[in-house]
Amino acid sequence: MESSELAIEIRDLYKLYGPKPEAALGHIRSRSMRPEDSGHFVALNNVNLAIEPGKICVIMGLSGSGKSTLLRCINRLIDPTGGQIFIQGHEITHASTKELRRIRSSKISMVFQHFALLPHMTVLDNVAFGLRIAGISRKERRDRAAHALELVGLSGWNDRKPSNLSGGMRQRVGLARALVMDTPVLLMDEPFSALDPLIREEMQQELLRLQNTLNKTIVFVTHDPNEAATLGNRIAILLKGEVVQYGRPLDIVISPANDYVRDFVRGINVFNVLSAGQIVDPARPPVVLTGTSVTSLPISRSTAGPVAVTDGTGRILGVVEKTASLGASAADWQSALSQDYIRIAPDQLVAPFLEELSRNGRPLVVVRDDDSLVGVVTGSSVLKALAANSGVKSKCEEARQQPESKSAMAAEQRAG
Amino acid sequence: MDFTDFAMQVASAIDNFTNYVSQKFGAVFDFISAIILGINDPLTAALNFVPAWLVIVIAVIGGFAAGRLPLALLGGLGLAFILAMNLWSAAMVTFSLVLTAALISLAIGIPLGTLIAESKRMNAVFEPILDFMQTMPAFVLLVPAVFFFGVGVVPGVVATIFFAMPLPIRLTAHGLKMVEPEVIEAGEAFGASRMTILFFIKLPLAFKSIMAGVNQCIMMSLSMVIIASMIGAGGLGDEIIRSISRLQVGRGVEAGLVVVILAILIDRFTRRISQKIDPTA
């Protein structure tokens, strides 16, 4: 079953508020009635989302767009009116109260906007609260809670009350309380929006640092586009309960599906989203060097600039700076091979390397961990991405406007 | 049309009803009497058995523990004044009546308030009953109390319970309803059952409001216990009624002052103690 590969899958989800939500949903589904004529408030309108394990999926939208409702449907703090939700392939939409409690303590934990700590318990007891409910022994839950507090950098505060802590520290406790449950899925409801901007950035980095080792599936609600761009592997943009666009941050920045999304992402600093794998230059395919033969020579070698050279299995051998003078001889290429390039992973942000690229012209070569090549980032590919973000669209691009830009899709495929 | 006739019919219908009830459910009233006397009698005996100086010492020490010097002074001087007014034993009778009534009111009121907060249906049922109880003038409560329980301590305490119970019910329910929804959600999100959420999250967080209800319940009990002296509950109220009937203004004011002091002491002590044991502080 396809859904078993996904951490979370949401199908045709609806949430209606009003006198007769079920009946109204029937009309909306059969298309005999438009949602706005149903006399009900449609908080979620046919939401479909597939979230891969280990990824951070950001749900973004204005207040009232249904993002918190969507998040709460995932652990059924709110019961959806219709549709299905699968967590690791198991449908939770019809789980009984008892099952639901088990799922909540073993599969999904949650971090809240205003921390939602219990003021009458110490920090340690707050973190251990979920374990206590799950019936874990006192010693084990205290050990695990202490470890979780260490993880978020709060050891030594165990016996304080939450009221003694600053906002950022309280949210660290909230995070520890969720992490200690050791659940694969973590729901975060605008967790950093109540914090000062500086602390917020610090917490974002902290979350990314933790995510590096923990690899949880995180659903993160925010209304801050830059936060979404910083954290999200995928961003879903919600408008009046509908997902208007779901994709990688760069795709959304470069090719917004409509004006609402465009307005929304205008504030995103494009350098926050430009990862190397996404902007390799399609006009710079690698040269393949196998034994004595050179295959896939650049079509037009007159375009000066470096090309990457790989072996027959796609592993990087090096770069060649000046290709115009080289013939089809493998030996020539072999001797021209240089190791003077900047190696960069596909998901690394490209921003810190741009100065190097512009000043010294050292090629930026995007290589995966196993040495296989993704492509080369060039000045022109960076410019292309920036131009697309500037909002001034060329005539020809307008003509072929699609929800997802082709080059970005191609880049994604190459990036894997 | 003659309305006197109609009024008489209503009155006699009520009489018939109460007659019927008191005969049919005599056992129930006996049971209630037994509970009230079972609490009040030992309490009165104990309070009068302990020498006054010991009570004062306890109040000073307790006052110091709960509220440092001001409360210790207040406790010591207040009780010394009562002793000096020669109204000690009457005050102890009143105090024990207050404690009995308040104890029973709270034992019923806090769980009932919890039930009302948790169940919309219970809320709908009890809302008008509570309104009725709260708008009922204190004196009117004495009538059915006398009818079902005669005169003496028991009807006094019963009337007091009816008078003092609505506030702790309301304040308990209010405190529970005012708990931040996000904190309750946090409990739910971590798999807590309704009962766990009630006992580990809602009740501790509603503590301030519940304790305000306790405080108000005791204060209202005190005022009603004085009025209940009219039906023979005894204590300080007796002194006041006696001095009214004998036109002894001075003695009446003395007894009134003792009631006020008792009220202040109970109020300050319960407040300080509830602040002291507040789990959310």
Side-chain angles (χ1 to χ4, degrees):
Chain A
M1 200 170 131
E2 122 196 77
S3 57
S4 60
E5 297 161 18
L6 295 167
I8 303 170
E9 190 184 6
I10 297 171
R11 289 188 197 156
D12 312 323
L13 201 72
Y14 286 92
K15 177 67 191 176
L16 278 70
Y17 290 101
K20 284 181 178 167
E22 271 87 12
L25 177 61
H27 291 305
I28 291 171
R29 273 191 170 152
S30 66
R31 302 201 177 278
S32 62
M33 196 188 268
R34 290 190 305 163
E36 51 270 36
D37 300 332
S38 64
H40 287 65
F41 176 67
V42 183
L44 292 175
N45 186 2
N46 196 14
V47 171
N48 286 281
L49 276 185
I51 301 169
E52 286 164 40
K55 299 275 194 235
I56 301 181
C57 170
V58 174
I59 300 172
M60 186 161 67
L62 297 173
S63 46
S65 59
K67 48 193 195 312
S68 279
T69 309
L70 177 57
L71 191 77
R72 279 163 172 70
C73 281
I74 295 175
N75 64 355
R76 278 188 53 198
L77 284 180
I78 292 176
D79 269 320
T81 313
Q84 292 169 297
I85 297 172
F86 299 88
I87 306 285
Q88 294 182 326
H90 299 289
E91 186 174 355
I92 67 144
T93 346
H94 297 292
S96 67
T97 317
K98 208 176 145 198
E99 265 177 281
L100 200 58
R101 280 215 297 275
R102 200 184 48 75
I103 290 168
R104 282 170 179 172
S105 67
S106 66
K107 294 231 187 283
I108 314 168
S109 47
M110 189 162 175
V111 179
F112 293 85
Q113 183 177 7
H114 301 291
F115 325 133
L117 300 177
L118 301 172
H120 58 291
M121 294 184 185
T122 63
V123 166
L124 190 75
D125 287 339
N126 262 290
V127 176
F129 184 67
L131 297 172
R132 185 173 171 182
I133 293 168
I136 308 286
S137 74
R138 185 181 152 82
K139 185 174 177 337
E140 188 189 338
R141 68 178 188 242
R142 288 182 74 87
D143 287 349
R144 279 170 68 178
H147 178 71
L149 280 167
E150 231 168 80
L151 211 58
V152 298
L154 269 189
S155 44
W157 293 83
N158 294 7
D159 298 322
R160 301 296 196 88
K161 289 278 181 73
S163 54
N164 297 132
L165 272 57
S166 68
M169 291 163 94
R170 285 184 207 184
Q171 196 55 297
R172 281 171 196 261
V173 177
L175 191 56
R177 177 174 67 176
L179 293 180
V180 78
M181 301 306 289
D182 218 5
T183 55
V185 175
L186 183 58
L187 306 179
M188 305 184 85
D189 182 20
E190 301 203 32
F192 307 145
S193 64
L195 304 176
D196 297 336
L198 278 180
I199 307 289
R200 189 182 312 157
E201 257 170 51
E202 188 186 310
M203 291 296 288
Q204 289 165 0
Q205 294 311 317
E206 182 86 12
L207 180 65
L208 288 175
R209 182 181 68 79
L210 288 168
Q211 171 68 353
N212 255 338
T213 51
L214 297 174
N215 261 312
K216 293 190 182 292
T217 307
I218 300 178
V219 186
F220 191 105
V221 167
T222 183
H223 58 252
D224 175 359
N226 271 309
E227 184 167 73
T230 308
L231 297 176
N233 299 110
R234 292 282 186 283
I235 298 179
I237 296 186
L238 237 56
L239 170 63
K240 291 180 186 161
E242 259 179 293
V243 176
V244 287
Q245 191 167 10
Y246 180 45
R248 297 149 63 101
L250 185 67
D251 301 339
I252 288 178
V253 170
I254 289 182
S255 45
N258 58 28
D259 288 344
Y260 172 76
V261 179
R262 194 189 319 280
D263 283 347
F264 220 119
V265 299
R266 203 186 297 284
I268 294 185
N269 179 353
V270 72
F271 292 109
N272 274 347
V273 296
L274 228 47
S275 65
Q278 291 168 300
I279 56 163
V280 293
D281 196 334
R284 218 52 83 81
V287 171
V288 181
L289 208 57
T290 47
T292 53
S293 69
V294 183
T295 47
S296 358
L297 275 179
I299 302 159
S300 159
R301 276 184 289 154
S302 60
T303 54
V307 287
V309 181
T310 66
D311 65 9
T313 60
R315 282 173 204 287
I316 180 82
L317 292 173
V319 291
V320 173
E321 295 272 0
K322 296 186 176 61
T323 56
S325 58
L326 292 173
S329 146
D332 285 353
W333 283 87
Q334 199 77 48
S335 60
L337 264 185
S338 152
Q339 297 303 322
D340 184 27
Y341 61 89
I342 300 166
R343 181 181 167 136
I344 172 169
D347 54 358
Q348 243 175 317
L349 290 186
V350 82
F353 303 96
L354 289 180
E355 197 184 333
E356 187 78 16
L357 180 70
S358 69
R359 189 183 297 164
N360 304 330
R362 282 176 78 195
L364 274 180
V365 183
V366 186
V367 185
R368 293 188 197 88
D369 282 347
D370 61 355
D371 285 348
S372 60
L373 177 80
V374 179
V376 181
V377 175
T378 64
S380 80
S381 68
V382 173
L383 281 177
K384 227 178 270 175
L386 289 182
N389 178 241
S390 71
V392 188
K393 293 210 281 180
S394 65
K395 284 278 176 234
C396 68
E397 207 178 326
E398 224 162 284
R400 60 177 174 85
Q401 186 186 3
Q402 278 167 356
E404 279 188 311
S405 88
K406 276 186 179 150
S407 68
M409 268 173 72
E412 181 180 341
Q413 276 166 6
R414 258 172 278 132
Chain B
M1 201 173 155
D2 189 4
F3 282 106
T4 17
D5 203 34
F6 177 67
M8 276 175 68
Q9 278 176 16
V10 172
S12 80
I14 293 172
D15 285 348
N16 286 337
F17 172 73
T18 44
N19 258 326
Y20 171 78
V21 170
S22 64
Q23 278 160 17
K24 199 76 179 172
F25 298 101
V28 175
F29 297 120
D30 288 348
F31 178 67
I32 295 171
S33 296
I35 291 177
I36 290 171
L37 292 175
I39 299 172
N40 187 60
D41 284 354
L43 208 56
T44 316
L47 283 170
N48 275 316
F49 175 77
V50 180
W53 63 267
L54 187 56
V55 176
I56 295 175
V57 168
I58 292 171
V60 169
I61 293 172
F64 193 78
R68 300 291 137 197
L69 202 57
L71 199 62
L73 273 179
L74 189 72
L77 292 177
L79 290 179
F81 177 81
I82 294 174
L83 191 61
M85 290 295 107
N86 205 14
L87 284 169
W88 184 264
S89 76
M92 287 305 117
V93 170
T94 295
F95 188 46
S96 108
L97 285 170
V98 168
L99 285 184
T100 307
L103 211 66
I104 297 173
S105 297
L106 294 173
I108 302 169
I110 293 176
L112 199 57
T114 309
L115 216 57
I116 287 174
E118 290 288 297
S119 149
K120 281 206 176 92
R121 195 171 302 164
M122 291 298 274
N123 190 33
V125 170
F126 276 95
E127 196 64 25
I129 297 177
L130 288 173
D131 285 341
F132 179 74
M133 284 169 82
Q134 281 186 303
T135 47
M136 186 79 96
F139 284 104
V140 179
L141 289 173
L142 298 177
V143 180
V146 169
F147 191 88
F148 289 118
F149 296 97
V151 291
V153 167
V154 174
V157 171
V158 168
T160 306
I161 290 170
F162 264 84
F163 186 70
M165 201 159 51
L167 261 184
I169 296 177
R170 283 243 153 101
L171 283 168
T172 301
H174 173 78
L176 290 172
K177 285 177 189 166
M178 284 297 117
V179 172
E180 293 261 2
E182 208 186 36
V183 186
I184 297 166
E185 273 190 332
E188 286 174 357
F190 285 97
S193 66
R194 204 173 161 184
M195 280 296 151
T196 312
I197 289 173
L198 179 63
F199 283 102
F200 287 89
I201 299 178
K202 284 187 182 174
L203 282 172
L205 293 185
F207 183 83
K208 272 198 182 69
S209 184
I210 295 173
M211 286 314 283
V214 170
N215 175 279
Q216 286 304 300
C217 176
I218 298 176
M219 301 309 290
M220 292 186 76
S221 295
L222 180 59
S223 79
M224 189 63 197
V225 156
I226 303 299
I227 292 171
S229 296
M230 291 173 64
I231 54 171
L236 289 168
D238 269 6
E239 294 294 328
I240 295 172
I241 289 169
R242 201 174 300 136
S243 50
I244 290 172
S245 59
R246 294 179 189 166
L247 290 175
Q248 293 170 321
V249 178
R251 188 65 180 156
V253 171
E254 275 177 8
L257 273 179
V258 169
V259 173
V260 169
I261 285 168
L262 205 54
I264 292 174
L265 287 184
I266 294 172
D267 179 57
R268 293 293 179 272
F269 269 80
T270 50
R271 270 184 210 214
R272 281 315 225 151
I273 291 168
S274 63
Q275 278 170 13
K276 201 89 183 168
I277 59 175
D278 186 350
T280 60

